[in-house]
PDB file of all heavy atoms in Angstrom:
ATOM      1  N   VAL A   1      72.835  25.891  86.185  1.00 97.00           N
ATOM      2  CA  VAL A   1      74.130  25.839  85.508  1.00 97.00           C
ATOM      3  C   VAL A   1      75.078  24.906  86.257  1.00 97.00           C
ATOM      4  O   VAL A   1      75.842  24.153  85.640  1.00 97.00           O
ATOM      5  CB  VAL A   1      74.732  27.254  85.386  1.00 97.00           C
ATOM      6  CG1 VAL A   1      76.080  27.184  84.664  1.00 97.00           C
ATOM      7  CG2 VAL A   1      73.792  28.178  84.614  1.00 97.00           C
ATOM      8  N   ARG A   2      75.018  24.918  87.581  1.00 97.00           N
ATOM      9  CA  ARG A   2      75.873  24.007  88.346  1.00 97.00           C
ATOM     10  C   ARG A   2      75.506  22.547  88.070  1.00 97.00           C
ATOM     11  O   ARG A   2      76.363  21.666  88.095  1.00 97.00           O
ATOM     12  CB  ARG A   2      75.783  24.319  89.843  1.00 97.00           C
ATOM     13  CG  ARG A   2      76.368  25.683  90.199  1.00 97.00           C
ATOM     14  CD  ARG A   2      76.749  25.770  91.666  1.00 97.00           C
ATOM     15  NE  ARG A   2      75.615  25.692  92.565  1.00 97.00           N
ATOM     16  CZ  ARG A   2      74.849  26.713  92.912  1.00 97.00           C
ATOM     17  NH1 ARG A   2      75.080  27.923  92.398  1.00 97.00           N
ATOM     18  NH2 ARG A   2      73.840  26.564  93.759  1.00 97.00           N
ATOM     19  N   LEU A   3      74.239  22.296  87.795  1.00 97.00           N
ATOM     20  CA  LEU A   3      73.823  20.941  87.422  1.00 97.00           C
ATOM     21  C   LEU A   3      74.493  20.516  86.116  1.00 97.00           C
ATOM     22  O   LEU A   3      74.979  19.386  85.989  1.00 97.00           O
ATOM     23  CB  LEU A   3      72.300  20.888  87.286  1.00 97.00           C
ATOM     24  CG  LEU A   3      71.688  19.528  86.930  1.00 97.00           C
ATOM     25  CD1 LEU A   3      71.925  18.525  88.056  1.00 97.00           C
ATOM     26  CD2 LEU A   3      70.187  19.668  86.659  1.00 97.00           C
ATOM     27  N   TYR A   4      74.543  21.414  85.156  1.00 96.00           N
ATOM     28  CA  TYR A   4      75.202  21.107  83.892  1.00 96.00           C
ATOM     29  C   TYR A   4      76.710  20.974  84.078  1.00 96.00           C
ATOM     30  O   TYR A   4      77.348  20.148  83.425  1.00 96.00           O
ATOM     31  CB  TYR A   4      74.886  22.198  82.860  1.00 96.00           C
ATOM     32  CG  TYR A   4      73.564  22.002  82.163  1.00 96.00           C
ATOM     33  CD1 TYR A   4      72.352  22.226  82.823  1.00 96.00           C
ATOM     34  CD2 TYR A   4      73.509  21.593  80.833  1.00 96.00           C
ATOM     35  CE1 TYR A   4      71.137  22.044  82.185  1.00 96.00           C
ATOM     36  CE2 TYR A   4      72.296  21.413  80.178  1.00 96.00           C
ATOM     37  CZ  TYR A   4      71.112  21.638  80.860  1.00 96.00           C
ATOM     38  OH  TYR A   4      69.919  21.455  80.228  1.00 96.00           O
ATOM     39  N   LEU A   5      77.273  21.764  84.981  1.00 97.00           N
ATOM     40  CA  LEU A   5      78.702  21.648  85.269  1.00 97.00           C
ATOM     41  C   LEU A   5      79.011  20.310  85.937  1.00 97.00           C
ATOM     42  O   LEU A   5      80.046  19.689  85.666  1.00 97.00           O
ATOM     43  CB  LEU A   5      79.152  22.803  86.167  1.00 97.00           C
ATOM     44  CG  LEU A   5      79.247  24.167  85.477  1.00 97.00           C
ATOM     45  CD1 LEU A   5      79.403  25.280  86.517  1.00 97.00           C
ATOM     46  CD2 LEU A   5      80.406  24.208  84.487  1.00 97.00           C
ATOM     47  N   ALA A   6      78.110  19.866  86.808  1.00 96.00           N
ATOM     48  CA  ALA A   6      78.295  18.561  87.455  1.00 96.00           C
ATOM     49  C   ALA A   6      78.237  17.444  86.428  1.00 96.00           C
ATOM     50  O   ALA A   6      78.994  16.468  86.501  1.00 96.00           O
ATOM     51  CB  ALA A   6      77.228  18.353  88.528  1.00 96.00           C
ATOM     52  N   SER A   7      77.346  17.575  85.471  1.00 95.00           N
ATOM     53  CA  SER A   7      77.273  16.587  84.393  1.00 95.00           C
ATOM     54  C   SER A   7      78.544  16.630  83.551  1.00 95.00           C
ATOM     55  O   SER A   7      79.090  15.592  83.174  1.00 95.00           O
ATOM     56  CB  SER A   7      76.044  16.854  83.527  1.00 95.00           C
ATOM     57  OG  SER A   7      75.966  15.953  82.445  1.00 95.00           O
ATOM     58  N   ALA A   8      79.013  17.841  83.274  1.00 93.00           N
ATOM     59  CA  ALA A   8      80.246  17.996  82.499  1.00 93.00           C
ATOM     60  C   ALA A   8      81.431  17.376  83.229  1.00 93.00           C
ATOM     61  O   ALA A   8      82.325  16.787  82.600  1.00 93.00           O
ATOM     62  CB  ALA A   8      80.507  19.474  82.225  1.00 93.00           C
ATOM     63  N   ALA A   9      81.443  17.477  84.554  1.00 94.00           N
ATOM     64  CA  ALA A   9      82.559  16.947  85.341  1.00 94.00           C
ATOM     65  C   ALA A   9      82.734  15.451  85.124  1.00 94.00           C
ATOM     66  O   ALA A   9      83.850  14.928  85.189  1.00 94.00           O
ATOM     67  CB  ALA A   9      82.338  17.239  86.828  1.00 94.00           C
ATOM     68  N   GLN A  10      81.642  14.758  84.845  1.00 93.00           N
ATOM     69  CA  GLN A  10      81.731  13.317  84.640  1.00 93.00           C
ATOM     70  C   GLN A  10      82.443  12.960  83.334  1.00 93.00           C
ATOM     71  O   GLN A  10      82.857  11.813  83.148  1.00 93.00           O
ATOM     72  CB  GLN A  10      80.325  12.708  84.653  1.00 93.00           C
ATOM     73  CG  GLN A  10      79.608  12.874  85.980  1.00 93.00           C
ATOM     74  CD  GLN A  10      78.197  12.322  85.950  1.00 93.00           C
ATOM     75  OE1 GLN A  10      77.972  11.197  85.546  1.00 93.00           O
ATOM     76  NE2 GLN A  10      77.237  13.117  86.388  1.00 93.00           N
ATOM     77  N   ARG A  11      82.587  13.947  82.453  1.00 91.00           N
ATOM     78  CA  ARG A  11      83.276  13.699  81.182  1.00 91.00           C
ATOM     79  C   ARG A  11      84.687  14.284  81.151  1.00 91.00           C
ATOM     80  O   ARG A  11      85.393  14.141  80.155  1.00 91.00           O
ATOM     81  CB  ARG A  11      82.426  14.253  80.033  1.00 91.00           C
ATOM     82  CG  ARG A  11      81.211  13.390  79.758  1.00 91.00           C
ATOM     83  CD  ARG A  11      80.445  13.887  78.542  1.00 91.00           C
ATOM     84  NE  ARG A  11      79.504  14.927  78.918  1.00 91.00           N
ATOM     85  CZ  ARG A  11      78.754  15.594  78.039  1.00 91.00           C
ATOM     86  NH1 ARG A  11      78.869  15.354  76.757  1.00 91.00           N
ATOM     87  NH2 ARG A  11      77.906  16.511  78.451  1.00 91.00           N
ATOM     88  N   VAL A  12      85.054  14.961  82.216  1.00 91.00           N
ATOM     89  CA  VAL A  12      86.438  15.422  82.343  1.00 91.00           C
ATOM     90  C   VAL A  12      87.300  14.219  82.717  1.00 91.00           C
ATOM     91  O   VAL A  12      86.890  13.389  83.541  1.00 91.00           O
ATOM     92  CB  VAL A  12      86.538  16.513  83.433  1.00 91.00           C
ATOM     93  CG1 VAL A  12      87.996  16.874  83.718  1.00 91.00           C
ATOM     94  CG2 VAL A  12      85.757  17.761  83.015  1.00 91.00           C
ATOM     95  N   PRO A  13      88.495  14.054  82.123  1.00 90.00           N
ATOM     96  CA  PRO A  13      89.363  12.930  82.510  1.00 90.00           C
ATOM     97  C   PRO A  13      89.539  12.859  84.029  1.00 90.00           C
ATOM     98  O   PRO A  13      89.680  13.883  84.689  1.00 90.00           O
ATOM     99  CB  PRO A  13      90.679  13.259  81.799  1.00 90.00           C
ATOM    100  CG  PRO A  13      90.255  14.059  80.604  1.00 90.00           C
ATOM    101  CD  PRO A  13      89.079  14.874  81.053  1.00 90.00           C
ATOM    102  N   VAL A  14      89.517  11.655  84.563  1.00 93.00           N
ATOM    103  CA  VAL A  14      89.558  11.465  86.014  1.00 93.00           C
ATOM    104  C   VAL A  14      90.765  12.160  86.634  1.00 93.00           C
ATOM    105  O   VAL A  14      90.673  12.749  87.712  1.00 93.00           O
ATOM    106  CB  VAL A  14      89.555   9.962  86.353  1.00 93.00           C
ATOM    107  CG1 VAL A  14      89.809   9.739  87.841  1.00 93.00           C
ATOM    108  CG2 VAL A  14      88.226   9.337  85.944  1.00 93.00           C
ATOM    109  N   THR A  15      91.898  12.115  85.954  1.00 91.00           N
ATOM    110  CA  THR A  15      93.120  12.701  86.501  1.00 91.00           C
ATOM    111  C   THR A  15      93.089  14.228  86.555  1.00 91.00           C
ATOM    112  O   THR A  15      93.915  14.838  87.225  1.00 91.00           O
ATOM    113  CB  THR A  15      94.336  12.272  85.663  1.00 91.00           C
ATOM    114  OG1 THR A  15      94.115  12.630  84.287  1.00 91.00           O
ATOM    115  CG2 THR A  15      94.544  10.764  85.767  1.00 91.00           C
ATOM    116  N   MET A  16      92.117  14.831  85.850  1.00 92.00           N
ATOM    117  CA  MET A  16      92.018  16.297  85.806  1.00 92.00           C
ATOM    118  C   MET A  16      90.770  16.812  86.520  1.00 92.00           C
ATOM    119  O   MET A  16      90.509  18.011  86.519  1.00 92.00           O
ATOM    120  CB  MET A  16      92.001  16.762  84.347  1.00 92.00           C
ATOM    121  CG  MET A  16      93.230  16.381  83.557  1.00 92.00           C
ATOM    122  SD  MET A  16      92.991  16.600  81.762  1.00 92.00           S
ATOM    123  CE  MET A  16      92.580  18.333  81.663  1.00 92.00           C
ATOM    124  N   ARG A  17      90.021  15.928  87.128  1.00 93.00           N
ATOM    125  CA  ARG A  17      88.685  16.263  87.626  1.00 93.00           C
ATOM    126  C   ARG A  17      88.668  16.905  89.013  1.00 93.00           C
ATOM    127  O   ARG A  17      87.742  17.651  89.349  1.00 93.00           O
ATOM    128  CB  ARG A  17      87.853  14.981  87.628  1.00 93.00           C
ATOM    129  CG  ARG A  17      86.364  15.194  87.683  1.00 93.00           C
ATOM    130  CD  ARG A  17      85.629  13.848  87.638  1.00 93.00           C
ATOM    131  NE  ARG A  17      85.839  13.132  86.376  1.00 93.00           N
ATOM    132  CZ  ARG A  17      85.285  11.961  86.102  1.00 93.00           C
ATOM    133  NH1 ARG A  17      84.536  11.363  87.015  1.00 93.00           N
ATOM    134  NH2 ARG A  17      85.504  11.374  84.945  1.00 93.00           N
ATOM    135  N   ALA A  18      89.655  16.615  89.855  1.00 95.00           N
ATOM    136  CA  ALA A  18      89.610  17.009  91.265  1.00 95.00           C
ATOM    137  C   ALA A  18      89.450  18.511  91.495  1.00 95.00           C
ATOM    138  O   ALA A  18      88.661  18.921  92.361  1.00 95.00           O
ATOM    139  CB  ALA A  18      90.844  16.482  91.999  1.00 95.00           C
ATOM    140  N   PRO A  19      90.184  19.404  90.786  1.00 94.00           N
ATOM    141  CA  PRO A  19      90.021  20.838  91.052  1.00 94.00           C
ATOM    142  C   PRO A  19      88.582  21.321  90.871  1.00 94.00           C
ATOM    143  O   PRO A  19      88.077  22.112  91.679  1.00 94.00           O
ATOM    144  CB  PRO A  19      90.962  21.495  90.036  1.00 94.00           C
ATOM    145  CG  PRO A  19      92.010  20.458  89.781  1.00 94.00           C
ATOM    146  CD  PRO A  19      91.269  19.151  89.816  1.00 94.00           C
ATOM    147  N   LEU A  20      87.929  20.836  89.822  1.00 96.00           N
ATOM    148  CA  LEU A  20      86.528  21.205  89.593  1.00 96.00           C
ATOM    149  C   LEU A  20      85.642  20.653  90.699  1.00 96.00           C
ATOM    150  O   LEU A  20      84.750  21.346  91.211  1.00 96.00           O
ATOM    151  CB  LEU A  20      86.072  20.671  88.228  1.00 96.00           C
ATOM    152  CG  LEU A  20      84.590  20.826  87.871  1.00 96.00           C
ATOM    153  CD1 LEU A  20      84.158  22.284  87.932  1.00 96.00           C
ATOM    154  CD2 LEU A  20      84.309  20.238  86.484  1.00 96.00           C
ATOM    155  N   LEU A  21      85.879  19.423  91.105  1.00 97.00           N
ATOM    156  CA  LEU A  21      85.064  18.812  92.151  1.00 97.00           C
ATOM    157  C   LEU A  21      85.229  19.517  93.492  1.00 97.00           C
ATOM    158  O   LEU A  21      84.259  19.673  94.241  1.00 97.00           O
ATOM    159  CB  LEU A  21      85.422  17.335  92.293  1.00 97.00           C
ATOM    160  CG  LEU A  21      84.931  16.425  91.161  1.00 97.00           C
ATOM    161  CD1 LEU A  21      85.529  15.042  91.298  1.00 97.00           C
ATOM    162  CD2 LEU A  21      83.404  16.357  91.147  1.00 97.00           C
ATOM    163  N   LYS A  22      86.436  19.950  93.802  1.00 97.00           N
ATOM    164  CA  LYS A  22      86.656  20.663  95.070  1.00 97.00           C
ATOM    165  C   LYS A  22      85.778  21.904  95.151  1.00 97.00           C
ATOM    166  O   LYS A  22      85.223  22.228  96.209  1.00 97.00           O
ATOM    167  CB  LYS A  22      88.127  21.048  95.212  1.00 97.00           C
ATOM    168  CG  LYS A  22      89.058  19.878  95.455  1.00 97.00           C
ATOM    169  CD  LYS A  22      90.512  20.336  95.478  1.00 97.00           C
ATOM    170  CE  LYS A  22      91.459  19.159  95.583  1.00 97.00           C
ATOM    171  NZ  LYS A  22      92.878  19.577  95.518  1.00 97.00           N
ATOM    172  N   VAL A  23      85.654  22.592  94.022  1.00 97.00           N
ATOM    173  CA  VAL A  23      84.811  23.793  93.986  1.00 97.00           C
ATOM    174  C   VAL A  23      83.337  23.424  94.144  1.00 97.00           C
ATOM    175  O   VAL A  23      82.604  24.036  94.934  1.00 97.00           O
ATOM    176  CB  VAL A  23      85.036  24.565  92.671  1.00 97.00           C
ATOM    177  CG1 VAL A  23      84.024  25.700  92.534  1.00 97.00           C
ATOM    178  CG2 VAL A  23      86.455  25.121  92.625  1.00 97.00           C
ATOM    179  N   LEU A  24      82.883  22.420  93.421  1.00 97.00           N
ATOM    180  CA  LEU A  24      81.477  22.028  93.482  1.00 97.00           C
ATOM    181  C   LEU A  24      81.099  21.473  94.848  1.00 97.00           C
ATOM    182  O   LEU A  24      80.028  21.789  95.390  1.00 97.00           O
ATOM    183  CB  LEU A  24      81.171  20.997  92.390  1.00 97.00           C
ATOM    184  CG  LEU A  24      81.254  21.500  90.948  1.00 97.00           C
ATOM    185  CD1 LEU A  24      81.093  20.345  89.963  1.00 97.00           C
ATOM    186  CD2 LEU A  24      80.204  22.576  90.674  1.00 97.00           C
ATOM    187  N   LEU A  25      81.960  20.642  95.424  1.00 97.00           N
ATOM    188  CA  LEU A  25      81.665  20.041  96.729  1.00 97.00           C
ATOM    189  C   LEU A  25      81.653  21.068  97.849  1.00 97.00           C
ATOM    190  O   LEU A  25      81.082  20.816  98.915  1.00 97.00           O
ATOM    191  CB  LEU A  25      82.683  18.946  97.043  1.00 97.00           C
ATOM    192  CG  LEU A  25      82.683  17.716  96.122  1.00 97.00           C
ATOM    193  CD1 LEU A  25      83.785  16.753  96.519  1.00 97.00           C
ATOM    194  CD2 LEU A  25      81.346  17.021  96.127  1.00 97.00           C
ATOM    195  N   ALA A  26      82.258  22.215  97.612  1.00 97.00           N
ATOM    196  CA  ALA A  26      82.278  23.266  98.624  1.00 97.00           C
ATOM    197  C   ALA A  26      81.034  24.149  98.592  1.00 97.00           C
ATOM    198  O   ALA A  26      80.880  25.015  99.458  1.00 97.00           O
ATOM    199  CB  ALA A  26      83.531  24.129  98.442  1.00 97.00           C
ATOM    200  N   ARG A  27      80.143  23.904  97.616  1.00 96.00           N
ATOM    201  CA  ARG A  27      78.934  24.733  97.503  1.00 96.00           C
ATOM    202  C   ARG A  27      77.901  24.245  98.512  1.00 96.00           C
ATOM    203  O   ARG A  27      77.011  23.461  98.213  1.00 96.00           O
ATOM    204  CB  ARG A  27      78.385  24.672  96.076  1.00 96.00           C
ATOM    205  CG  ARG A  27      79.317  25.145  94.980  1.00 96.00           C
ATOM    206  CD  ARG A  27      79.720  26.602  95.103  1.00 96.00           C
ATOM    207  NE  ARG A  27      78.612  27.501  94.986  1.00 96.00           N
ATOM    208  CZ  ARG A  27      78.432  28.347  93.942  1.00 96.00           C
ATOM    209  NH1 ARG A  27      79.305  28.391  92.959  1.00 96.00           N
ATOM    210  NH2 ARG A  27      77.399  29.151  93.920  1.00 96.00           N
ATOM    211  N   VAL A  28      78.026  24.730  99.741  1.00 96.00           N
ATOM    212  CA  VAL A  28      77.165  24.271 100.831  1.00 96.00           C
ATOM    213  C   VAL A  28      75.697  24.571 100.565  1.00 96.00           C
ATOM    214  O   VAL A  28      74.799  23.885 101.062  1.00 96.00           O
ATOM    215  CB  VAL A  28      77.616  24.903 102.172  1.00 96.00           C
ATOM    216  CG1 VAL A  28      77.397  26.415 102.162  1.00 96.00           C
ATOM    217  CG2 VAL A  28      76.917  24.247 103.353  1.00 96.00           C
ATOM    218  N   GLU A  29      75.423  25.577  99.751  1.00 96.00           N
ATOM    219  CA  GLU A  29      74.035  25.934  99.453  1.00 96.00           C
ATOM    220  C   GLU A  29      73.316  24.853  98.644  1.00 96.00           C
ATOM    221  O   GLU A  29      72.091  24.874  98.515  1.00 96.00           O
ATOM    222  CB  GLU A  29      73.961  27.273  98.704  1.00 96.00           C
ATOM    223  CG  GLU A  29      74.576  27.293  97.323  1.00 96.00           C
ATOM    224  CD  GLU A  29      76.043  27.714  97.325  1.00 96.00           C
ATOM    225  OE1 GLU A  29      76.775  27.279  98.238  1.00 96.00           O
ATOM    226  OE2 GLU A  29      76.438  28.454  96.403  1.00 96.00           O
ATOM    227  N   ASP A  30      74.078  23.903  98.103  1.00 97.00           N
ATOM    228  CA  ASP A  30      73.480  22.823  97.315  1.00 97.00           C
ATOM    229  C   ASP A  30      73.125  21.589  98.148  1.00 97.00           C
ATOM    230  O   ASP A  30      72.647  20.590  97.611  1.00 97.00           O
ATOM    231  CB  ASP A  30      74.420  22.402  96.186  1.00 97.00           C
ATOM    232  CG  ASP A  30      74.625  23.511  95.162  1.00 97.00           C
ATOM    233  OD1 ASP A  30      73.732  24.362  95.022  1.00 97.00           O
ATOM    234  OD2 ASP A  30      75.682  23.512  94.504  1.00 97.00           O
ATOM    235  N   ALA A  31      73.344  21.665  99.452  1.00 96.00           N
ATOM    236  CA  ALA A  31      73.182  20.486 100.304  1.00 96.00           C
ATOM    237  C   ALA A  31      71.773  19.902 100.248  1.00 96.00           C
ATOM    238  O   ALA A  31      71.594  18.680 100.288  1.00 96.00           O
ATOM    239  CB  ALA A  31      73.542  20.821 101.749  1.00 96.00           C
ATOM    240  N   ASN A  32      70.768  20.758 100.141  1.00 96.00           N
ATOM    241  CA  ASN A  32      69.384  20.276 100.159  1.00 96.00           C
ATOM    242  C   ASN A  32      68.752  20.210  98.770  1.00 96.00           C
ATOM    243  O   ASN A  32      67.557  19.953  98.652  1.00 96.00           O
ATOM    244  CB  ASN A  32      68.536  21.176 101.062  1.00 96.00           C
ATOM    245  CG  ASN A  32      68.969  21.098 102.508  1.00 96.00           C
ATOM    246  OD1 ASN A  32      69.280  20.024 103.024  1.00 96.00           O
ATOM    247  ND2 ASN A  32      68.996  22.238 103.193  1.00 96.00           N
ATOM    248  N   ASP A  33      69.548  20.439  97.762  1.00 96.00           N
ATOM    249  CA  ASP A  33      69.033  20.322  96.402  1.00 96.00           C
ATOM    250  C   ASP A  33      68.739  18.843  96.110  1.00 96.00           C
ATOM    251  O   ASP A  33      69.503  17.961  96.515  1.00 96.00           O
ATOM    252  CB  ASP A  33      70.067  20.853  95.405  1.00 96.00           C
ATOM    253  CG  ASP A  33      69.521  20.932  93.994  1.00 96.00           C
ATOM    254  OD1 ASP A  33      69.558  19.901  93.280  1.00 96.00           O
ATOM    255  OD2 ASP A  33      69.063  22.007  93.595  1.00 96.00           O
ATOM    256  N   PRO A  34      67.639  18.533  95.411  1.00 95.00           N
ATOM    257  CA  PRO A  34      67.284  17.120  95.171  1.00 95.00           C
ATOM    258  C   PRO A  34      68.213  16.410  94.184  1.00 95.00           C
ATOM    259  O   PRO A  34      68.236  15.176  94.134  1.00 95.00           O
ATOM    260  CB  PRO A  34      65.862  17.208  94.611  1.00 95.00           C
ATOM    261  CG  PRO A  34      65.759  18.575  94.032  1.00 95.00           C
ATOM    262  CD  PRO A  34      66.601  19.448  94.904  1.00 95.00           C
ATOM    263  N   ASN A  35      68.977  17.162  93.402  1.00 96.00           N
ATOM    264  CA  ASN A  35      69.792  16.546  92.357  1.00 96.00           C
ATOM    265  C   ASN A  35      71.297  16.774  92.496  1.00 96.00           C
ATOM    266  O   ASN A  35      72.090  15.873  92.217  1.00 96.00           O
ATOM    267  CB  ASN A  35      69.355  17.071  90.978  1.00 96.00           C
ATOM    268  CG  ASN A  35      67.908  16.771  90.667  1.00 96.00           C
ATOM    269  OD1 ASN A  35      67.477  15.632  90.764  1.00 96.00           O
ATOM    270  ND2 ASN A  35      67.147  17.782  90.303  1.00 96.00           N
ATOM    271  N   LEU A  36      71.688  17.970  92.881  1.00 97.00           N
ATOM    272  CA  LEU A  36      73.094  18.341  92.798  1.00 97.00           C
ATOM    273  C   LEU A  36      74.034  17.466  93.627  1.00 97.00           C
ATOM    274  O   LEU A  36      75.083  17.039  93.114  1.00 97.00           O
ATOM    275  CB  LEU A  36      73.260  19.822  93.159  1.00 97.00           C
ATOM    276  CG  LEU A  36      72.787  20.785  92.073  1.00 97.00           C
ATOM    277  CD1 LEU A  36      72.782  22.221  92.582  1.00 97.00           C
ATOM    278  CD2 LEU A  36      73.663  20.681  90.836  1.00 97.00           C
ATOM    279  N   PRO A  37      73.724  17.166  94.904  1.00 97.00           N
ATOM    280  CA  PRO A  37      74.662  16.312  95.653  1.00 97.00           C
ATOM    281  C   PRO A  37      74.926  14.965  94.975  1.00 97.00           C
ATOM    282  O   PRO A  37      76.069  14.499  94.939  1.00 97.00           O
ATOM    283  CB  PRO A  37      73.959  16.140  97.008  1.00 97.00           C
ATOM    284  CG  PRO A  37      73.135  17.368  97.161  1.00 97.00           C
ATOM    285  CD  PRO A  37      72.630  17.654  95.778  1.00 97.00           C
ATOM    286  N   LEU A  38      73.886  14.369  94.428  1.00 97.00           N
ATOM    287  CA  LEU A  38      74.070  13.086  93.748  1.00 97.00           C
ATOM    288  C   LEU A  38      74.886  13.240  92.466  1.00 97.00           C
ATOM    289  O   LEU A  38      75.734  12.395  92.150  1.00 97.00           O
ATOM    290  CB  LEU A  38      72.720  12.450  93.443  1.00 97.00           C
ATOM    291  CG  LEU A  38      71.935  11.945  94.661  1.00 97.00           C
ATOM    292  CD1 LEU A  38      70.570  11.432  94.239  1.00 97.00           C
ATOM    293  CD2 LEU A  38      72.702  10.856  95.398  1.00 97.00           C
TER     294      LEU A  38
END
């Protein structure tokens, strides 16, 4: 689901995107995932 949320984030207007990104970038458990960091 976080992968789909990351994809969705790319379609959120740039000026409104930061709050969502702050949450996603804080998910330390995704550090070794092959797709999510990218």
